Amino acid sequence: MTKDVIALTPRMPDPLTVLAGLLAGGPDKLVGTTGEGAVVQLCDDRGRPLVSIEAPLLVQVAGEAERLLGATAPPVPFWWTEARATTGVEEAELIAGTFAARIATLAGGSAWPPEAARSLAVVKTDGVSVAPTPAAAQPAVDALTDKVAVIIQDRPVIAMTAWLSDAFRAAADAGLGLQIVTSPGATLSPAVRNSLSGWPSRWVVRDERDGYYDGLSGAVLRWQHGMFATVESPDATPEDPRTPVAAAYQEVTGTGDRQLAISFRTVHPADDRLVLGGALESVWQELTGRPPAGWGTAEPANLPWSPRRLTDVAFERAPEPTWLVVVGSPDRPGLATVRISRTKAGVEEDITLAFGYGPGEEPPLDALPRVAEALATRHHLQSMLVQLRRARRDLAVPPRFEGPGVPLAFVLGAEEVREMPGDRARRTPLSEPPVQLGPRSRPALYYPLPGDPSDLSGWQDFERLMRHLKGA
């Protein structure tokens, strides 16, 4: 049975409905709170949490339940109420399921997964207690060592939920890695994939043949020295570790799906009148014909797209950075992660964006120069890289090899071109000269990278360009 259970209801669970859900374990269960009151916990008789329940979240963006759960939700807006059971305690999982079933019954709607919420009866928990663990204070963490925090997830898509976002932040503050353990059928949201780049953080996939492997690299893993680490071959050397690669990771099936991936950074002068999100909206509008559908500080993205409201959240959190996720409409899969930070240069937006295309759907590559010009002339672009990848249309990251993207273009902002000595930015080793964007007196430069999608020649051109621009 899953550890996470979610109620999707058209009406907000009122206090009496939540109370009825909290009584799923009987009237003698202790109730506590954490996360500044945003999380309610049902505890054993020693105060250790059995089930942790997030405050209901109003979702106003269509398609999020389908994208993250494969579930049919009520029409937007609807309420998303999530409960997480303590790992390894069967009664805790039953309580979470009963909690969600009661919420769905009293507030209308449904529970996910359906099999976890079949009973409304009180769960018998006489004598049940939870083993003490240092991770008990963090609802999402299942195990904690002096090297990593380990989270066990059993969901179709591992998303950057409020639970997981808190766990990433807590692990970083403690100087620990974060390791997410999933079943072989799970996928990652790009928002989680982009946050797992630093060792020893990794995606750990359970596998019948090899035990465990890294879902992003395929390396076979074992639990050793307080974390999941790669297995070395007997004849490995420091220069050639010869890490075995799981057979499941190498089982690649071609679907014809592709992704257009765009990474860019803008640097705005600090100003009380500044409105953020305009650069991302311009790219989205140019490539899809419409603005983003919604955004949020975690997944599911729950708020309708609003640059003004996004800006307010970022300013409220300053000088601390703000992380956001932005999504598109269900008929054109698109997802971006945005990191907004205040620096000496101004207010920076680091954006990673991808759109998915199926067989017969052509990415609008002819729009890329227009995208670059809009960013360079209206949104203080610093740099941009565009790639085309053979990857899933729905943007979910599978535990299989997908291959690198092929660079299509690189753009250097006007300020960066101006600061480069001489005419280095204009005279490059590439076969095609750069295209000037914006006014002649202060242009940005667009570098086409006509690599063949069937090989890595685009990356060779890109590396040559980067060495040249750096003066190497």
Side-chain angles (χ1 to χ4, degrees):
M1 185 179 294
T2 184
K3 308 293 186 300
D4 300 336
V5 186
I6 300 164
L8 306 171
T9 61
R11 300 191 303 275
M12 179 180 179
D14 58 33
L16 289 178
T17 299
V18 174
L19 178 60
L22 291 173
L23 291 173
D28 57 340
K29 285 291 163 285
L30 301 177
V31 177
T33 62
T34 186
E36 298 181 351
V39 178
V40 177
Q41 295 180 317
L42 290 175
C43 305
D44 64 10
D45 56 7
R46 297 180 62 182
R48 294 172 298 207
L50 289 165
V51 177
S52 300
I53 301 155
E54 278 273 1
L57 178 71
L58 181 62
V59 178
Q60 304 175 67
V61 181
E64 285 296 87
E66 291 81 356
R67 178 176 74 90
L68 299 176
L69 303 176
T72 301
V76 293
F78 65 89
W79 293 88
W80 177 301
T81 308
E82 187 160 339
R84 177 170 173 79
T86 297
T87 302
V89 182
E90 182 180 356
E91 290 81 2
E93 298 173 15
L94 294 173
I95 292 173
T98 301
F99 169 84
R102 291 183 174 191
I103 296 294
T105 299
L106 295 173
S110 60
W112 177 91
E115 66 273 12
R118 291 176 177 169
S119 174
L120 300 176
V122 172
V123 178
K124 294 182 179 180
T125 58
D126 295 341
V128 173
S129 63
V130 183
T133 167
Q138 174 54 254
V141 174
D142 296 293
L144 197 64
T145 73
D146 60 350
K147 297 182 178 67
V148 296
V150 179
I151 294 177
I152 302 172
Q153 290 271 273
D154 191 10
R155 302 167 75 136
V157 179
I158 311 305
M160 187 60 82
T161 61
W163 304 104
L164 193 54
S165 178
D166 288 344
F168 267 107
R169 188 161 43 249
D173 290 345
L176 302 175
L178 189 72
Q179 300 191 335
I180 303 173
V181 182
T182 75
S183 63
T187 61
L188 294 187
S189 161
V192 177
R193 166 65 182 88
N194 295 339
S195 299
L196 280 175
S197 56
W199 181 90
S201 297
R202 62 173 79 240
W203 176 19
V204 182
V205 181
R206 295 191 296 271
D207 182 63
E208 291 183 355
R209 286 173 288 183
D210 292 295
Y212 298 93
Y213 70 93
D214 189 306
L216 300 178
S217 71
V220 176
L221 306 173
R222 294 287 183 273
W223 182 261
Q224 47 192 338
H225 309 300
M227 65 179 179
F228 285 99
T230 54
V231 174
E232 293 185 354
S233 298
D235 54 351
T237 65
E239 294 76 21
D240 183 7
R242 301 186 184 181
T243 302
V245 176
Y249 182 79
Q250 303 177 66
E251 295 173 352
V252 181
T253 57
T255 63
D257 289 0
R258 290 176 294 174
Q259 293 177 11
L260 183 63
I262 304 175
S263 302
F264 63 95
R265 172 181 289 182
T266 61
V267 183
H268 308 275
D271 191 312
D272 291 341
R273 297 168 296 176
L274 173 64
V275 177
L276 299 167
L280 179 59
E281 182 176 287
S282 292
V283 175
W284 217 292
Q285 188 78 44
E286 193 67 54
L287 295 177
T288 70
R290 67 187 81 170
W295 70 285
T297 56
E299 294 180 288
N302 65 310
L303 299 170
W305 177 247
S306 170
R308 172 59 66 183
R309 192 169 179 185
L310 180 155
T311 302
D312 291 342
V313 169
F315 277 20
E316 288 171 5
R317 296 185 174 189
E320 294 299 316
T322 297
W323 182 94
L324 306 169
V325 61
V326 181
V327 299
S329 57
D331 61 330
R332 169 53 59 220
L335 187 144
T337 57
V338 183
R339 182 178 174 83
I340 300 168
S341 53
R342 180 68 183 270
T343 68
K344 293 181 179 179
V347 180
E348 296 187 4
E349 293 179 286
D350 282 293
I351 299 172
T352 301
L353 166 65
F355 294 105
Y357 302 88
E361 295 179 320
E362 289 299 323
L365 303 184
D366 58 340
L368 294 178
R370 296 195 301 272
V371 168
E373 181 144 25
L375 293 177
T377 57
R378 302 201 302 267
H379 300 289
H380 303 280
L381 177 70
Q382 186 180 73
S383 63
M384 180 175 79
L385 175 65
V386 183
Q387 303 176 55
L388 189 64
R389 303 181 60 231
R390 290 175 174 167
R392 291 171 52 142
R393 182 182 188 273
D394 63 6
L395 306 180
V397 181
R400 304 286 185 274
F401 178 76
E402 285 192 313
V406 175
L408 300 180
F410 177 75
V411 183
L412 199 61
E415 185 65 22
E416 285 61 42
V417 171
R418 186 184 68 82
E419 292 180 354
M420 201 159 287
D423 60 352
R424 181 190 299 167
R426 294 171 177 80
R427 297 182 179 276
T428 73
L430 303 181
S431 58
E432 293 189 37
V435 178
Q436 290 194 6
L437 306 174
R440 283 189 175 184
S441 59
R442 198 171 177 273
L445 294 178
Y446 179 97
Y447 302 90
L449 296 167
D452 185 344
S454 65
D455 61 33
L456 299 181
S457 61
W459 280 116
Q460 295 169 357
D461 288 341
F462 179 68
E463 290 173 358
R464 290 167 58 207
L465 175 62
M466 291 298 101
R467 287 197 299 268
H468 170 79
L469 294 178
K470 294 176 181 177

